[in-house]
Amino acid sequence: MDISYWIILGLSLLEVALLVGVITFFFRLRRSEQLLAKLQKNQKDFLIKIEKSVDLEQQFLTNFAERQTELLHLDAQLTEREKQLRNLLQQAERLSQSPQFLRQVILSGYRKGRSVKALAQSTGLSTDEVELILEQDKG
């Protein structure tokens, strides 16, 4: 056999090996492109989820701020209501301690049949003071 025959045979085998190499490289390249496309899709999905999460967090913070403002407003209203009730309570205490009010309580209670002792206990006065008020009314 001639040397040119061996050279042609060697070059043909080399071409076949190169062709197999190119085909293998092509399939690996194709698989890499598919993997890259899948990674890009997953990245887009992840970014969408991050955006949704950021939106939810912003809504949560906005809602929280609104609730805080509402609570501060309610606290101010409650404080104002507390002041009003304290003033009314002080007025009621002053009224209930006034001599005219005590006199009216004693007289109306006595007319309803309550005893002097019961009237003294309910008004915080002594029985002598209750009797004195009742005598002033008769006289």
Side-chain angles (χ1 to χ4, degrees):
M1 292 218 203
D2 194 280
I3 191 144
S4 61
Y5 173 75
W6 286 111
I7 292 175
I8 291 177
L9 183 64
L11 288 175
S12 295
L13 290 175
L14 182 62
E15 284 178 357
V16 169
L18 284 175
L19 184 61
V20 169
V22 168
I23 291 173
T24 305
F25 177 75
F26 176 75
F27 282 120
R28 284 190 178 185
L29 179 64
R30 189 170 177 173
R31 193 177 332 146
S32 294
E33 286 175 346
Q34 289 173 348
L35 181 62
L36 182 61
K38 184 178 178 183
L39 287 174
Q40 286 176 342
K41 182 184 178 294
N42 287 343
Q43 182 183 16
K44 286 179 184 178
D45 291 345
F46 183 68
L47 289 175
I48 289 171
K49 287 178 183 178
I50 287 176
E51 287 176 9
K52 285 181 182 179
S53 176
V54 167
D55 287 343
L56 287 174
E57 183 180 2
Q58 186 61 38
Q59 289 175 2
F60 175 76
L61 291 175
T62 302
N63 194 9
F64 182 75
E66 289 173 358
R67 295 291 179 237
Q68 286 297 103
T69 304
E70 188 176 330
L71 284 174
L72 289 173
H73 179 68
L74 289 174
D75 184 49
Q77 285 181 338
L78 186 61
T79 303
E80 182 63 30
R81 186 64 59 136
E82 179 186 14
K83 278 183 185 178
Q84 291 173 352
L85 289 175
R86 284 187 192 276
N87 287 339
L88 287 174
L89 185 60
Q90 287 175 354
Q91 288 176 0
E93 286 177 357
R94 280 182 287 198
L95 181 64
S96 69
Q97 296 301 321
S98 73
Q100 292 174 341
F101 180 74
L102 289 176
R103 184 168 194 246
Q104 289 299 324
V105 169
I106 291 170
L107 293 175
S108 66
Y110 188 73
R111 287 185 197 123
K112 291 179 182 176
R114 293 185 66 190
S115 68
V116 172
K117 186 176 180 182
L119 290 171
Q121 286 177 347
S122 67
T123 58
L125 299 174
S126 68
T127 54
D128 292 335
E129 290 172 322
V130 172
E131 288 174 353
L132 180 64
I133 290 171
L134 291 172
E135 286 177 17
Q136 287 176 350
D137 187 53
K138 290 179 184 178

